[in-house]
Amino acid sequence: MTWSEWWSPRPVPPSGGFTSDDLDRLADLPRRTELFDGDLVALDPQTVWHSRMLSLLEHALVGQVPDEFEVFREFDVKLDERNRVAPDVLVATAGADTGPKDTWLRPEDVLLAVEAVSVDSAERDRDVKPRKYAAVGIPHFWRAERRGGQPFVHVYELDPATRNYGLIGIQRDHLELAAPFSVDIDVTAIDSRRGERSAVDGPGCAAEN
C-alpha cells in the first residue's frame, strides 16, 4: 500500500480540484506532497539508494554549477495553477527564489530538473513529470536509475519548437557533459563509503575527508 492509499482522511477537493496555492494553505499535509492536475499525491518514504543518489548529485552539482546558478533539493516548482511538483534535484537561476517565505520556484527560472526513479514513482518519473517539465519549457532533464545494481543516467534536452525532450544519451559510470554547463560526476560513487567518496572531479572540488 502506498502512502497516498493509506492517507486518511484526505482533504476534500473543491470543484475543479486543488490549486498550486492550496499546498501552502492546507493543514496537516504529508511533508512530501505534490499536485498533479489538481490531485494531491503523497510521496512514499525514500529508499536508501534513492537518498544516496540525491545526495551524490546534489553534492556534485553544488561544486560544479557556475556562479549564476544554484542547486535545490526536493523544492517545489509551480508548473501552473493545477500542477506543483518537487524535482528530486534542480538547478535554477541564482536568486530565483522570490522571498524568504516562498515555497516554490517559477519554471522559467529552472535550468535542469533531475529525478531518481523509485518503485512507487516510476511512472511519474519516466513519463508524467518529464512531459510536464517539457511543456513548461525546462531546458534539461536527467533521469537516474539502476539496473543490476549499476547506476546510469538518461540525459534529455528540450526541443523548444515541439516542447518535447530528446534523448541526448545514457551515461553509465561517469556523467560527463558540456551542457547545460560543464559537469563531471562519478555516479558509481553512490556505493562508496562517505569518507572515501570522490563524486566530483570538477575543478576546485576535492573529495571529502
Side-chain angles (χ1 to χ4, degrees):
M1 178 179 290
T2 67
W3 185 268
S4 285
E5 292 169 333
W6 175 86
W7 184 14
S8 180
R10 293 174 63 91
V12 178
S15 176
F18 292 106
T19 69
S20 292
D21 291 337
D22 286 332
L23 267 68
D24 293 320
R25 294 191 286 258
L26 292 169
D28 301 322
L29 287 178
R31 186 182 68 84
R32 300 174 65 234
T33 302
E34 297 180 314
L35 184 71
F36 293 90
D37 299 320
D39 186 34
L40 296 173
V41 175
L43 306 184
D44 287 353
Q46 294 180 355
T47 64
V48 171
W49 180 87
H50 188 269
S51 180
R52 285 175 177 167
M53 178 57 75
L54 267 58
S55 294
L56 176 87
L57 294 174
E58 178 191 24
H59 172 81
L61 286 169
V62 165
Q64 298 188 41
V65 294
D67 291 343
E68 60 266 31
F69 300 108
E70 59 183 311
V71 180
F72 294 79
R73 176 169 171 170
E74 297 173 309
F75 195 79
D76 283 6
V77 180
K78 184 178 177 181
L79 303 179
D80 56 40
E81 288 304 314
R82 301 182 69 244
N83 291 276
R84 176 170 159 177
V85 302
D88 285 332
V89 180
L90 67 85
V91 176
T93 304
D97 53 301
T98 54
K101 294 184 179 180
D102 278 353
T103 56
W104 50 267
L105 296 171
R106 295 177 293 259
E108 57 265 32
D109 292 321
V110 179
L111 176 70
L112 166 68
V114 183
E115 298 292 348
V117 175
S118 298
V119 173
D120 71 292
S121 65
E123 182 180 0
R124 292 195 300 273
D125 294 337
R126 292 172 179 160
D127 178 45
V128 178
K129 281 188 168 183
R131 282 193 291 107
K132 291 184 179 296
Y133 295 154
V136 296
I138 295 175
H140 298 271
F141 174 67
W142 298 350
R143 190 182 79 238
E145 303 201 36
R146 65 173 171 170
R147 184 176 295 117
Q150 298 301 310
F152 56 96
V153 181
H154 292 77
V155 178
Y156 297 87
E157 189 169 318
L158 183 69
D159 180 342
T162 64
R163 288 294 178 103
N164 291 310
Y165 285 126
L167 180 65
I168 300 302
I170 301 175
Q171 303 280 320
R172 294 176 173 86
D173 297 337
H174 227 76
L175 183 59
E176 188 172 0
L177 302 167
F181 44 81
S182 180
V183 63
D184 189 351
I185 303 172
D186 177 9
V187 294
T188 66
I190 189 174
D191 295 322
S192 301
R193 288 183 300 177
R194 183 177 181 183
E196 297 174 352
R197 188 168 67 200
S198 179
V200 183
D201 295 327
C205 300
E208 294 183 32
N209 295 316

